[in-house]
């Protein structure tokens, strides 16, 4: 229990450290999903945000399987994430297979990706919901009440970071801030592809190399991704650090 409390404290400190002038939205969101996996009884986590057209987009995932499942449910407009955002309330699914009638295509794809439970919590500030935090388990089961509270607290902290800090400091509108995050996500996926092809890595391994290089050189994740996507940074340089680990 004491160790968990220390981890929770470090997580909120890490999130707070990103809420500074010119913070990296992409890194904030990836920090959030990775810390969810560390702290909660889940196998993977993902995050979706609404864009300026009102459509949900995948912004961060802790694994490639979680990313693919999130993309799938958004493409078919079916699943707990979609219902969470539309209803502005948590959706807890202890056993996805038992919901095959409710979400037939989603349930089948979740099983194919290896997930048996899915829980979605709204990313909200007061009455404004901008997305959902999605937690995936490889076995059926409910989230513990304290895990639900912690996950919602993490989601709320990230929401404040996205909407309030940059809006106050730079006078940006919500749509501009979210569009920046969405653009960063597209660039990160491009950079992951470059590293995966060049280094023969999985997409998860490619992201690990990308994030590790950015962190070790005190660079913004989105800036490194852009440099790779635009061929301004040699992928071999990023991969060299990965090979030394």
């Amino acid at each position: 229990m004491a160790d968990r409390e220390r981890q929770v404290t470090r997580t909120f400190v890490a999130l707070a450290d990103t809420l500074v002038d010119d913070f990296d939205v992409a890194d904030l969101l990836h920090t959030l999903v990775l810390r969810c996996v560390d702290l909660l009884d889940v196998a993977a986590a993902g995050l979706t945000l609404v864009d300026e057209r009102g459509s949900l987009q995948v912004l961060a995932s802790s694994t490639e399987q979680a990313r693919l499942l999130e993309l799938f449910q958004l493409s078919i407009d079916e699943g707990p994430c979609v219902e969470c955002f539309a209803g502005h309330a948590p959706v807890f699914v202890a056993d996805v297979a038992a919901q095959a009638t409710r979400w037939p295509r989603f349930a089948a794809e979740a099983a194919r990706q290896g997930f048996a439970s899915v829980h979605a919590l709204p990313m909200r500030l007061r009455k404004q919901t901008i997305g959902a935090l999605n937690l995936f388990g490889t076995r059926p089961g409910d989230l513990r009440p304290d895990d639900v509270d912690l996950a919602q607290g993490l989601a709320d902290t990230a929401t404040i970071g996205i909407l309030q800090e940059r809006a106050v400091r730079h006078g940006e509108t919500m749509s501009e801030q979210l569009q920046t995050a969405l653009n960063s996500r597209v660039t990160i996926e491009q950079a992951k592809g470059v590293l995966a092809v060049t280094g023969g890595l999985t997409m998860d391994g490619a992201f690990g190399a990308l994030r590790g290089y950015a962190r070790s050189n005190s660079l913004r994740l989105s800036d490194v991704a852009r440099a790779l996507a635009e061929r301004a940074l040699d992928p071999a340089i990023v991969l060299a650090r990965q090979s030394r680990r």
Side-chain angles (χ1 to χ4, degrees):
M1 181 62 69
D3 183 61
R4 176 181 166 85
E5 290 177 355
R6 284 193 294 270
Q7 290 185 56
V8 170
T9 300
R10 285 196 293 267
T11 295
F12 278 101
V13 169
L15 291 174
D17 282 346
T18 65
L19 304 183
V20 295
D21 190 34
D22 199 32
F23 77 94
D24 190 340
V25 176
D27 196 46
L28 167 69
L29 302 183
H30 283 288
T31 296
L32 172 65
V33 296
L34 293 174
R35 291 305 178 97
C36 282
V37 176
D38 291 339
L39 292 171
L40 309 173
D41 186 22
V42 297
L47 190 149
T48 56
L49 288 181
V50 65
D51 64 16
E52 59 187 1
R53 299 182 301 275
S55 301
L56 284 174
Q57 304 288 340
V58 178
L59 262 293
S61 304
S62 65
T63 68
E64 185 68 6
Q65 289 77 15
R67 187 181 78 89
L68 292 174
L69 181 56
E70 288 196 299
L71 288 171
F72 180 80
Q73 70 171 314
L74 296 185
S75 71
I76 63 172
D77 197 32
E78 172 188 300
C81 170
V82 174
E83 291 197 6
C84 172
F85 177 73
H88 312 286
V91 175
F92 301 113
V93 186
D95 188 352
V96 175
Q99 300 296 324
T101 301
R102 180 181 181 185
W103 302 312
R105 291 178 292 174
F106 174 79
E109 182 64 15
R112 195 174 77 82
Q113 296 295 343
F115 297 120
S117 61
V118 182
H119 310 288
L121 296 97
M123 294 189 67
R124 63 194 178 198
L125 181 62
R126 301 181 182 91
K127 294 182 179 181
Q128 185 177 36
T129 300
I130 63 168
L133 173 64
N134 309 297
L135 307 171
F136 304 93
T138 55
R139 61 183 185 278
D142 292 310
L143 279 180
R144 297 190 300 267
D146 59 335
D147 277 357
V148 172
D149 292 340
L150 177 55
Q152 189 65 68
L154 292 169
D156 291 346
T157 300
T159 303
I160 292 170
I162 294 167
L163 291 183
Q164 191 163 308
E165 291 293 321
R166 289 293 289 270
V168 169
R169 293 170 188 263
H170 300 293
E172 295 180 355
T173 65
M174 182 186 76
S175 62
E176 289 172 338
Q177 180 61 42
L178 296 185
Q179 195 59 47
T180 297
L182 291 167
N183 292 342
S184 294
R185 180 60 184 175
V186 171
T187 306
I188 288 170
E189 289 303 316
Q190 292 173 342
K192 284 167 55 179
V194 170
L195 292 175
V197 171
T198 304
L201 303 174
T202 64
M203 293 298 278
D204 289 338
F207 179 71
L210 174 65
R211 193 165 190 259
Y213 180 85
R215 284 289 178 97
S216 65
N217 290 279
S218 300
L219 298 171
R220 287 161 56 94
L221 179 65
S222 53
D223 289 342
V224 175
R226 186 177 304 106
L228 281 168
E230 296 176 352
R231 300 298 193 270
L233 174 62
D234 187 346
I237 295 175
V238 178
L239 294 169
R241 179 190 179 279
Q242 181 82 352
S243 65
R244 293 195 298 268
R245 294 178 60 185

